[in-house]
Amino acid sequence: MSVSQADVMTAMSKVIDPELHVDLVKAGMVKDVRVTGDTVKLKIELTTPACPMKGKIQADAEAALKAVPGLKSFDIEWGAQVRGVAGGSGGGALLPGVKNILLVGAGKGGVGKSTVAVNLATSLAQHGAKVGLLDADFYGPSVPLMTGTADKRPVSPNGKTLDPLVAHGLKIMSIGFLVEADQALIWRGPMLHGALMQLVRDVNWGELDYLILDLPPGTGDVALTLSQSVRAAGAVLVTTPQDVALADVVRAKQMFDKVHIPVLGIVENMSQFICPHCNKSTPIFNHGGGQKAAEMFGIPFLGEIPLDLKVREAGDSGVPVVVGHKDSPEAKAFQDVARAIAGRVSAQTMKSVPLPVMQAR
């Protein structure tokens, strides 16, 4: 009994991507089907190299192929092609080479937002994605220290644009590279807007799958300017476990709702402390505030990051914990969160529609 290409495609149309809730054929993920007698070779192109459901998709695809009458052997090649918002460039006119812009924000300072942004970006790069990290926290730029680039400065190839620095597989830009470390920034309104748009527009980001923007805490000028000037795939909210943090999450969520940016989910940072000696967990800052906030808003809870000395030491040393201690529980927690966010972005791009982009003047 001969096997046809149509038989293979029919089998693949029964395999559902659990994150996208659509079959592989309809999602355009089945490529290069080659049938030779009773054998077949094909490629399944995931929507992100950090796909959180690859194991499930692989098991279902293999089971579907085994059920094809007359098919004795098959070979699946795996690949990934990140898609942009609205099926094209997520960056719009300002960032034409950037597929997806992710905003990492928090309702208040001190929740480890920058730590999450740095380790999220690095985790996505470790999976093979092309990733940029923009430190948009003008009042407390900490990305240079956390990435070990504080003593470096970007160069301009033409006197008009800047080349980002590169570290840990990331393209990095920060206002911290352009001002003295002890210089107080007292800019407001138009000055902030102009400087911020320069960092977005006049940096040679090139082709990126994801550009992570580390926003300043709160809901002030910088966050609003960015939210209204770029077409973001979504925002990630960072909180701490205690109930008092819920009020701050509410404000941040309301801001993103007002500017029509979907919130991809909530990350609970500085969750339970795990004793390195006895493995006993202690909820120093309580536990479950992030989960409670996610349930309140009906949005995904992306995961929790343990409170551990290694995370702080990694940030101070300029080597993110996902690099310096990549097999640690803390690193694995960041990696799980990164995969969850990548999956949410893929789902968001599947249902997104083109939106007007406000142009910077």
Side-chain angles (χ1 to χ4, degrees):
M1 183 177 182
S2 61
V3 179
S4 69
Q5 188 177 79
D7 294 331
V8 175
M9 296 300 283
T10 298
M12 289 295 94
S13 69
K14 299 175 182 177
V15 180
I16 306 297
D17 185 309
E19 193 77 34
L20 307 181
H21 304 295
V22 66
D23 71 75
L24 301 191
V25 175
K26 184 175 293 185
M29 296 164 65
V30 182
K31 310 281 186 180
D32 304 331
V33 178
R34 300 183 297 278
V35 179
T36 305
D38 54 8
T39 66
V40 64
K41 290 185 177 182
L42 71 154
K43 180 178 182 179
I44 296 179
E45 190 175 78
L46 302 172
T47 55
T48 173
C51 179
M53 304 302 295
K54 180 183 176 183
K56 169 68 173 170
I57 295 172
Q58 181 171 352
D60 290 350
E62 291 175 353
L65 289 172
K66 289 176 182 178
V68 175
L71 182 61
K72 293 185 177 180
S73 65
F74 56 83
D75 179 23
I76 302 176
E77 177 187 353
W78 293 89
Q81 180 65 40
V82 177
R83 304 175 188 184
V85 172
S89 167
L94 282 178
L95 295 165
V98 177
K99 293 180 179 177
N100 296 289
I101 297 172
L102 306 181
L103 310 180
V104 179
K108 66 173 183 177
V111 300
K113 169 186 55 60
S114 294
T115 298
V116 171
V118 168
N119 283 280
L120 164 61
T122 308
S123 296
L124 291 172
Q126 287 175 329
H127 279 91
K130 299 176 182 177
V131 185
L133 176 60
L134 173 57
D135 183 359
D137 190 347
F138 273 44
Y139 297 113
S142 53
V143 165
L145 175 64
M146 290 184 170
T147 56
T149 55
D151 60 343
K152 298 178 173 62
R153 294 292 180 268
V155 299
S156 175
N158 54 15
K160 297 180 180 179
T161 59
L162 291 173
D163 287 340
L165 299 183
V166 177
H168 311 300
L170 308 174
K171 292 181 178 179
I172 303 169
M173 181 53 63
S174 169
I175 189 64
F177 297 142
L178 307 177
V179 298
E180 296 298 327
D182 58 352
Q183 179 180 344
L185 293 180
I186 56 174
W187 303 341
R188 290 185 180 181
M191 290 178 65
L192 272 176
H193 178 90
L196 185 58
M197 286 302 96
Q198 279 192 289
L199 288 186
V200 173
R201 180 187 59 235
D202 297 338
V203 173
N204 300 317
W205 293 109
E207 300 292 324
L208 294 178
D209 295 320
Y210 307 100
L211 176 60
I212 312 298
L213 272 60
D214 179 20
L215 300 181
T219 56
D221 287 345
V222 173
L224 287 171
T225 293
L226 278 173
S227 300
Q228 294 173 334
S229 299
V230 299
R231 183 186 298 134
V236 175
L237 297 181
V238 181
T239 187
T240 44
Q242 61 267 48
D243 289 341
V244 71
L246 289 177
D248 301 296
V249 175
V250 168
R251 285 192 289 271
K253 174 69 165 57
Q254 288 174 339
M255 181 198 73
F256 288 117
D257 287 345
K258 287 179 179 178
V259 294
H260 307 292
I261 291 178
V263 174
L264 302 174
I266 294 176
V267 178
E268 180 175 292
N269 193 30
M270 292 184 272
S271 191
Q272 300 182 73
F273 170 71
I274 310 297
C275 177
H277 306 293
C278 66
N279 287 326
K280 180 181 178 181
S281 63
T282 303
I284 293 177
F285 298 119
N286 204 344
H287 183 248
Q291 179 79 56
K292 186 181 295 184
E295 291 173 356
M296 178 189 300
F297 292 120
I299 57 179
F301 180 59
L302 299 169
E304 56 187 49
I305 309 300
L307 176 66
D308 191 271
L309 181 62
K310 287 192 293 292
V311 178
R312 194 274 299 167
E313 290 177 334
D316 288 347
S317 69
V319 181
V321 71
V322 296
V323 175
H325 302 276
K326 61 182 178 180
D327 294 323
S328 68
E330 296 73 31
K332 291 179 179 178
F334 277 120
Q335 291 157 358
D336 287 344
V337 168
R339 284 190 287 270
I341 292 172
R344 293 293 303 152
V345 172
S346 294
Q348 193 64 40
T349 58
M350 287 292 292
K351 65 180 182 180
S352 65
V353 295
L355 296 173
V357 178
M358 293 179 64
Q359 301 296 319
R361 293 183 178 178

